[in-house]
Amino acid sequence: MRIAIGNDHVAIEMKKGIRAYLESKGIEMLDVGTDSPERFNYPISGYKVARLVAEGRADCGVLICGTGVGISLAANKVHGIRACVCSDPYTAKLSKQHNNTNIIAFGARVIGIETAKMIVDEWLNAAYEDGRHQVRVDMIREIEETQHLRAAEEDAQ
Ligand code: RB5
């Protein structure tokens, strides 16, 4: 498995910790984040990781900034990306099972490294359940690709 990881200047230590943790499990890591304490604009890492995942050059992605919000917002602008900010392992697990997330994000100012490891473990060990969830994931894709949602427009008539 190959995982892309990215971060901003706020999340260097957590990025290093998560990267080392996943490498210790034999996972190949593509690190596109910064290791410099200079200010680093989080959309750059969000975009880079998102493109690696969207193009199939990474199986999935991990993004870390101060809150996980900005970096996941940037990633979600890339077609095909479903990035979710999580502060707890349960949400991470369900985000994979129900929403088929392909990027997980969290905040270095919000959670500690042990919670971050638990989040990543739950997320990687979970599997998308497909079935009834696919119609909803397809709706998300429809909004992304067309800026419309037929089901909502029919509902409004
Ligand atoms: C950087 O100060 C901070 O805004 C960033 O790490 C992140 O929290 C944005 O969502």
Side-chain angles (χ1 to χ4, degrees):
M1 173 177 275
R2 183 187 294 146
I3 297 179
I5 191 165
N7 61 288
D8 72 358
H9 56 287
V10 171
I12 294 167
E13 291 312 312
M14 184 170 281
K15 186 278 300 283
K16 287 180 178 175
I18 293 298
R19 176 182 168 168
Y21 180 63
L22 293 175
E23 283 175 339
S24 77
K25 294 172 180 282
I27 294 172
E28 181 186 350
M29 300 298 292
L30 291 176
D31 186 350
V32 300
T34 182
D35 284 336
S36 161
E38 298 292 314
R39 283 187 185 174
F40 184 90
N41 294 325
Y42 56 78
I44 297 172
S45 285
Y47 170 78
K48 284 184 175 179
V49 166
R51 286 301 299 257
L52 286 168
V53 173
E55 292 168 9
R57 290 186 284 153
D59 297 299
C60 58
V62 175
L63 288 171
I64 319 168
C65 65
T67 59
V69 174
I71 205 161
S72 60
L73 288 175
N76 273 316
K77 297 299 179 188
V78 174
H79 278 202
I81 293 303
R82 290 174 302 280
C84 171
V85 189
C86 288
S87 296
D88 68 279
Y90 181 76
T91 304
K93 179 179 177 178
L94 270 286
S95 84
K96 177 72 76 59
Q97 290 180 336
H98 291 191
N99 315 111
N100 202 14
T101 46
N102 47 18
I103 292 180
I104 198 83
F106 36 84
R109 286 173 168 159
V110 181
I111 61 171
I113 185 69
E114 295 306 322
T115 301
K117 288 178 186 173
M118 289 175 74
I119 285 172
V120 169
D121 281 342
E122 286 291 325
W123 187 64
L124 291 176
N125 288 333
Y128 178 49
E129 290 179 351
D130 209 326
R132 73 185 193 278
H133 302 295
Q134 189 56 44
V135 67
R136 297 150 187 169
V137 173
D138 285 343
M139 286 181 176
I140 294 170
R141 184 183 300 121
E142 183 186 342
I143 297 167
E144 177 179 86
E145 291 177 354
T146 69
Q147 291 295 296
H148 290 282
L149 182 59
R150 279 167 300 161
E153 287 157 11
E154 286 161 13
D155 194 48
Q157 287 167 4

